[in-house]
Amino acid sequence: MKKKFQTKEEFKTEFERRIIEKYGRSIEQAHKTEKYMVLGEMIRDYVGVNWKETKETVAGNGEKQMYYFSMEFLIGRLLTSNLMNLGIYDIVKEGLQDFHIDINEIEDLESDAGLGNGGLGRLAACFLDSLASLNLVGHGNCIRYEYGLFRQRIENHEQTEYPDMWLKLGNVWEVRKPKHAIEVKFGGHIEMYMDEHGKTKVNHMPEQVIRAVPYDVPVIGRDTKVTNTLRLWSAEAADSVINNDFASYMDDVKAICMNVYPDDSTEKGKLLRIKQEYFFVAAGLAQIIKAHLRVYPSLDNLAEKVCIQLNDTHPVLAIPELMRILMDDYAYEWDDAWNIVTNVISYTNHTVLAEALEKWPISYIQQLLPRVYMIIEEIHRRFEFALDHQYNRPDIKYSVAILKEGQVHMANLAIVGSHHVNGVAGLHTEILKNDVFKSFYEIMPEKFSNKTNGITHRRWLLYSNPQLTHLLDETIGKDYQTHPEQLEKLMAHVDDPMLQAKFMDVKRQRKQILADYIKETLQIEVDVNSIFDVQAKRLHAYKRQLLNVLHIIYLYQKMKKDPNFRIYPRTFIFAAKAAPAYTFAKQVIKLINCIADVVNNDPQIAPYMKVVFIPNYGVSIAEILMNAADVSEQISTAGKEASGTGNMKFMMNGAITLGTLDGANVEIVERVGYENAEIFGLRADDVALLKRENVYSVWNVYNRDPEIKAVVEALIDGTFSPEKEDFRLVYNELMFKNDEYLLLADFDAYKHAQTRVQERYQDKAGWAKMCLINIAKSGFFSSDRTIKQYADEIWNIQPIEVK
Ligand code: 26V
């Protein structure tokens, strides 16, 4: 079949024809959004052929397929990335130019698909890009949320949340597939009976049936025909159930796909969250089974042809649900079904924080999913039996139990039902093995492995930083674009003063783009000659934005007190969303904004220091923020940040990591060397020891060090807010919970690391060299490397060739 367009002229003809046909207007008359829609539709149709060919190749050759089950896919915008990956960006750009249309303006019309909270969701999106680009068949399975993560605005210094209406203009990339809808059942009761062969049969009489309708989004790889699918499920009314209270039924239906991660602190919220989890898992599995049976006679070979990766425990109901399908719908015996399930499923853990490990009250699961619960109970029972007999470890029974204290422990269920369990950075995996899942590791060590996270270098370097890409092309050729480990070639040039100067110029250009954005949106002038020091990530106590803030307060106080003490000009930039119910986090945001107000408007201080809080952090803002940074703040309490992925984006764009030895920071330093990063503070084992021995006292630090004392007191003495009590909560969290995240324990080390940063920045050549080394060593952190490891070591899938 002939491609829709291969030249600029062909593109223009097709574009003009479509505008007229669809909107009955000339290009000049058409609205900008209409042009965006038509362009998007053209791209989607353009890849239709590859999409079909990929599906036919997979079915024809009996290829194995991977499904990435994730509650979140933070994909951001797709237009640029799709055009670039297809290699038609320039044709389209020039074609549009001929019509006096600026492609950047069109690109800016697209809303971010913000279907996620943070790192976990963005990782899923990077993985999709790498899968397709590596010719691997791997699809996404998620929910089509009506609203993405809330839009953040700052009003009176505080975070306020607004709905993110990302679908307002429709979503050009999706194709609704009502024919492939699935009915998902909730509640009700189970009837058991014996069939004519004496086999026990199970009938689920649901209280509620909801129809799941898939919307398919093509996932386009770079320079490849392989086109995968991100399947987003949307809830609609099912026609098979007559419900007498239709209005309340419709409320239930709408609630399922309303929001990303609704507040689950209430009973209602928890039930909704479980419903969401089961909804997209049950629908995804049903579709996989149907597709399999269109090609193969039975499910006996399911594990040879399909594998499912669980992105954290959110989709872990896939384990009992697949058991249910195999036994109840396809008459498999327990052992055969279990064998299939445990060869299909694998699980990635993304956090060691106890409060973030999912546990659901048994009564909720029982009430919502009576049949699935019966199966969970049986998995639990058989595992306990195995601990007594097969493993001979009755002593660990309690620690590894799936059911205990009235709750279902989702991570334990995930480990028992998976063939592989992985952490997302070396240190994180070690903590899983030696601490969080120690007992599991003792009995099934072979299940555990590490897969250090990565980021797609296409979006995060090639497309979002064309200036640096151009410089790299010029210096080391283009091979690194397809083989990012070849960035290493840059090592031969890091001492070249010309290159160093050119790099600093590229960085200045990126800083200017960010400075313009800050000026336009916040009316704050920042100096591109100052050090851009950036901390961009979700706001959480363990990530220690507050440590950064305390240091800013320290510098401010010291400059106010001592006119001879002046720092090298620095712009402290923050970007972070706080969970709407997370009061402490919201107070820290308010504190940052209050400090910004004081500092930026103090004529003595502002020439040396500006504080900027960029609202509504998301993928598109990250695309202009990460590459404008000089310093990447990665200062979590050691042992708490599973990996981090922002750290990799900063590194790849030539920023220096100022960080603790946590998550993937460890692997960053391992590659660049301690001399090309600024590492400080307690290590994970120091932290563990302090906690174990219970020897840390925050008041000791406070009383010993008058500077620290003054900084802490500034939280409640009205320095940054006339309402003295505004930050009492922050103060109390720090001082009356014995500084749980050890901010004050690390304060001095952080302060000294910050001093070294400013000293080193003043040696421009040395600094540029350091940045170039970071870029050169960043190839390892391409998600292409990560995905290859998953493909080889867990999924057992190979690249395919699409004719
Ligand atoms: C969830 C929650 C839920 C409520 C209580 C507080 C809390 C704290 C953390 C989380 C995170 C859950 C999982 C997650 O998003 N992990 C992130 O995954 C990234 C991709 O692997 C990784 O880079 C981040 O370090 C990790 O935090």
Side-chain angles (χ1 to χ4, degrees):
M1 203 185 292
K2 194 179 170 302
K3 278 267 179 70
K4 288 259 168 0
F5 53 90
Q6 268 151 345
T7 64
K8 183 178 87 172
E9 290 312 320
E10 283 171 355
F11 164 74
K12 284 170 63 181
T13 312
E14 173 83 3
F15 183 69
E16 183 161 32
R17 186 179 66 75
R18 287 202 184 210
I19 292 264
I20 296 168
E21 283 178 5
K22 178 155 183 179
Y23 294 106
R25 298 209 214 186
S26 67
I27 290 194
E28 297 75 47
Q29 293 295 307
H31 193 267
K32 267 201 297 203
T33 57
E34 293 171 340
K35 294 170 192 162
Y36 162 73
M37 296 299 281
V38 161
L39 182 58
E41 283 161 14
M42 279 174 73
I43 310 310
R44 196 195 56 220
D45 295 352
Y46 184 96
V47 301
V49 181
N50 292 344
W51 213 357
K52 163 182 153 287
E53 302 283 341
T54 305
K55 288 170 193 164
E56 287 176 1
T57 307
V58 170
N61 300 352
E63 304 285 358
K64 186 174 184 183
Q65 307 183 70
M66 191 281 292
Y67 292 86
Y68 202 74
F69 275 31
S70 177
M71 280 292 270
E72 306 189 3
F73 279 89
L74 244 185
I75 40 197
R77 294 170 174 169
L78 286 177
L79 181 60
T80 316
S81 163
N82 282 346
L83 286 172
M84 291 280 197
N85 275 356
L86 288 166
I88 54 174
Y89 187 87
D90 288 336
I91 291 178
V92 169
K93 182 181 165 182
E94 286 159 23
L96 290 174
Q97 229 157 39
D98 288 356
F99 293 124
H100 309 288
I101 303 169
D102 176 358
I103 193 167
N104 296 326
E105 270 182 45
I106 302 287
E107 289 167 317
D108 279 340
L109 290 174
E110 183 172 6
S111 20
D112 272 38
L115 311 184
N117 275 285
L120 171 137
R122 183 54 231 175
L123 184 75
C126 284
F127 280 4
L128 288 184
D129 186 69
S130 285
L131 281 159
S133 298
L134 294 170
N135 297 310
L136 293 165
V137 189
H139 312 287
N141 190 60
C142 186
I143 293 173
R144 183 177 181 272
Y145 300 101
E146 204 57 45
Y147 299 93
L149 188 66
F150 66 87
R151 218 155 32 88
Q152 180 196 54
R153 282 202 206 145
I154 301 300
E155 291 170 354
N156 295 321
H157 304 110
E158 287 179 68
Q159 164 175 302
T160 45
E161 299 102 28
Y162 290 84
D164 165 40
M165 296 188 278
W166 74 292
L167 290 171
K168 205 162 51 187
L169 295 178
N171 176 8
V172 279
W173 307 113
E174 68 188 14
V175 185
R176 180 182 153 90
K177 301 266 176 77
K179 276 221 167 61
H180 296 292
I182 304 285
E183 300 213 318
V184 182
K185 300 171 184 171
F186 294 101
H189 65 278
I190 302 303
E191 286 175 359
M192 305 261 240
Y193 63 95
M194 212 172 274
D195 74 357
E196 62 273 29
H197 312 291
K199 210 171 166 352
T200 309
K201 291 283 189 181
V202 181
N203 240 344
H204 179 191
M205 315 297 281
E207 185 193 315
Q208 188 172 70
V209 179
I210 291 179
R211 189 214 300 270
V213 180
Y215 287 70
D216 285 357
V217 177
V219 180
I220 299 164
R222 168 136 177 170
D223 292 333
T224 169
K225 288 185 177 170
V226 173
T227 306
N228 295 322
T229 302
L230 168 58
R231 183 156 271 198
L232 303 174
W233 294 96
S234 185
E236 295 187 11
D239 49 23
S240 62
V241 168
I242 300 139
N243 204 292
N244 30 23
D245 188 353
F246 189 67
S248 104
Y249 169 72
M250 283 314 292
D251 286 345
D252 283 1
V253 170
K254 283 194 201 116
I256 290 192
C257 296
M258 191 68 80
N259 275 307
V260 176
Y261 205 153
D263 177 21
D264 66 358
S265 52
T266 60
E267 171 153 349
K268 195 156 165 270
K270 283 203 176 98
L271 286 171
L272 178 55
R273 173 81 173 170
I274 299 168
K275 257 180 134 171
Q276 286 189 320
E277 293 184 351
Y278 182 68
F279 173 77
F280 89 104
V281 158
L285 279 172
Q287 175 256 323
I288 290 170
I289 301 289
K290 273 196 195 169
H292 184 86
L293 291 175
R294 276 200 291 271
V295 183
Y296 305 100
S298 83
L299 297 173
D300 290 355
N301 65 341
L302 189 70
E304 277 165 51
K305 301 299 175 187
V306 167
C307 61
I308 296 175
Q309 188 70 36
L310 306 180
N311 196 24
D312 218 292
T313 54
H314 318 143
V316 86
L317 291 169
I319 291 168
E321 172 64 6
L322 186 51
M323 285 299 284
R324 188 197 66 73
I325 294 172
L326 291 167
M327 294 191 303
D328 296 357
D329 300 348
Y330 294 93
Y332 280 85
E333 296 295 337
W334 181 280
D335 288 337
D336 297 326
W338 186 245
N339 192 33
I340 295 175
V341 170
T342 51
N343 280 298
V344 166
I345 308 267
S346 44
Y347 154 63
T348 307
N349 171 282
H350 295 266
T351 181
V352 302
L353 294 186
E355 68 270 31
L357 289 180
E358 277 188 307
K359 296 174 202 76
W360 298 120
I362 287 176
S363 59
Y364 292 5
I365 307 263
Q366 220 166 7
Q367 168 195 341
L368 269 179
L369 310 165
R371 178 59 181 149
V372 164
Y373 180 70
M374 288 169 70
I375 295 170
I376 295 175
E377 228 172 29
E378 184 62 12
I379 296 173
H380 168 80
R381 200 186 62 79
R382 287 179 184 240
F383 184 50
E384 296 232 295
F385 186 84
L387 287 163
D388 280 331
H389 298 96
Q390 183 191 336
Y391 298 111
N392 235 323
R393 289 295 304 272
D395 59 307
I396 59 169
K397 243 159 125 179
Y398 188 77
S399 82
V400 297
I402 295 168
L403 301 175
K404 55 184 164 186
E405 294 153 359
Q407 294 188 306
V408 186
H409 291 244
M410 304 304 260
N412 294 357
L413 177 57
I415 299 172
V416 173
S418 295
H419 55 92
H420 280 82
V421 175
N422 75 282
V424 290
L427 174 67
H428 168 60
T429 302
E430 287 309 305
I431 295 173
L432 292 182
K433 295 196 293 191
N434 302 327
D435 181 4
V436 185
F437 300 136
K438 185 170 187 287
S439 302
F440 275 111
Y441 181 61
E442 281 168 12
I443 54 171
M444 36 185 82
E446 68 293 336
K447 262 194 195 182
F448 287 78
S449 74
N450 176 57
K451 302 284 169 284
T452 298
N453 282 166
I455 55 168
T456 167
H457 64 286
R458 287 166 291 275
R459 179 179 293 260
W460 296 109
L461 171 59
L462 307 182
Y463 308 158
S464 55
N465 195 347
Q467 295 83 354
L468 181 55
T469 300
H470 180 75
L471 180 60
L472 291 169
D473 289 354
E474 198 179 82
T475 313
I476 55 170
K478 288 188 171 189
D479 285 354
Y480 77 93
Q481 295 201 4
T482 39
H483 298 91
E485 67 283 358
Q486 301 224 4
L487 280 167
E488 185 91 32
K489 285 188 194 156
L490 199 60
M491 285 308 285
H493 308 269
V494 297
D495 285 306
D496 173 4
M498 266 298 274
L499 179 66
Q500 292 170 353
K502 282 183 183 172
F503 169 76
M504 291 307 271
D505 187 52
V506 163
K507 185 58 88 179
R508 210 208 72 257
Q509 290 177 48
R510 295 308 316 185
K511 286 164 85 169
Q512 190 61 57
I513 290 169
L514 180 62
D516 293 344
Y517 178 80
I518 291 172
K519 174 87 182 109
E520 197 183 302
T521 53
L522 301 168
Q523 290 77 50
I524 301 175
E525 292 286 346
V526 298
D527 176 7
V528 294
N529 296 310
S530 67
I531 302 173
F532 277 22
D533 177 320
V534 184
Q535 188 169 18
K537 50 183 80 250
R538 279 299 287 265
L539 212 136
H540 202 288
Y542 83 84
K543 294 177 187 283
R544 301 201 295 190
Q545 280 94 351
L546 185 58
L547 175 57
N548 190 344
V549 168
L550 293 177
H551 176 250
I552 292 170
I553 296 177
Y554 159 80
L555 293 175
Y556 173 76
Q557 288 180 335
K558 194 154 172 166
M559 286 196 280
K560 286 305 273 183
K561 220 167 114 189
D562 177 0
N564 294 318
F565 175 80
R566 287 297 176 259
I567 59 170
Y568 189 89
R570 178 101 65 138
T571 305
F572 291 100
I573 301 170
F574 293 87
K577 284 180 181 175
Y582 192 175
T583 322
F584 168 81
K586 293 178 105 171
Q587 285 304 301
V588 173
I589 288 178
K590 180 171 184 185
L591 178 60
I592 295 169
N593 284 297
C594 287
I595 294 176
D597 243 16
V598 171
V599 166
N600 299 349
N601 296 310
D602 185 325
Q604 286 177 311
I605 304 300
Y608 302 96
M609 180 157 111
K610 286 267 169 78
V611 177
V612 179
F613 185 93
I614 298 181
N616 203 34
Y617 182 51
V619 176
S620 290
I621 289 178
E623 284 166 6
I624 56 167
L625 186 52
M626 311 312 249
N627 56 39
D630 296 305
V631 177
S632 154
E633 297 260 5
Q634 307 300 336
I635 60 177
S636 50
T637 314
K640 300 287 183 200
E641 189 69 272
S643 161
T645 42
N647 45 2
M648 303 168 185
K649 294 164 198 165
F650 284 113
M651 175 197 194
M652 199 174 269
N653 286 280
I656 303 312
T657 303
L658 166 57
T660 48
L661 277 182
D662 200 15
N665 300 351
V666 175
E667 287 155 81
I668 290 177
V669 202
E670 222 169 76
R671 286 180 171 74
V672 301
Y674 278 86
E675 66 284 11
N676 295 304
E678 202 54 70
I679 298 301
F680 71 93
L682 296 167
R683 322 242 162 143
D685 43 3
D686 303 327
V687 171
L689 186 75
L690 275 187
K691 299 272 172 189
R692 204 167 45 238
E693 307 279 311
N694 198 15
V695 287
Y696 176 71
S697 156
V698 69
W699 289 105
N700 283 349
V701 183
Y702 171 98
N703 287 318
R704 218 189 304 127
D705 186 333
E707 280 179 347
I708 288 184
K709 186 174 178 179
V711 168
V712 172
E713 287 309 309
L715 295 174
I716 49 166
D717 69 4
T719 313
F720 299 110
S721 166
E723 296 301 326
K724 282 192 185 184
E725 292 305 303
D726 268 3
F727 307 114
R728 175 68 69 178
L729 181 89
V730 176
Y731 181 92
N732 289 351
E733 282 290 315
L734 193 63
M735 300 309 295
F736 294 111
K737 291 199 176 155
N738 199 27
D739 187 10
E740 189 181 350
Y741 295 100
L742 300 168
L743 282 69
L744 299 193
D746 272 342
F747 186 85
D748 252 358
Y750 181 58
K751 186 176 92 183
H752 288 119
Q754 284 285 25
T755 310
R756 282 194 298 274
V757 165
Q758 75 162 3
E759 279 160 9
R760 297 175 77 174
Y761 189 78
Q762 292 169 68
D763 164 18
K764 285 290 141 65
W767 184 269
K769 177 178 171 181
M770 190 154 70
C771 297
L772 289 166
I773 291 173
N774 271 271
I775 298 167
K777 300 286 183 181
S778 70
F780 176 80
F781 298 104
S782 165
S783 46
D784 288 7
R785 185 268 314 151
T786 314
I787 283 297
K788 278 186 197 138
Q789 289 183 321
Y790 277 95
D792 294 345
E793 297 162 26
I794 298 181
W795 302 330
N796 192 20
I797 56 171
Q798 284 86 39
I800 66 159
E801 200 185 317
V802 175
K803 290 272 165 347

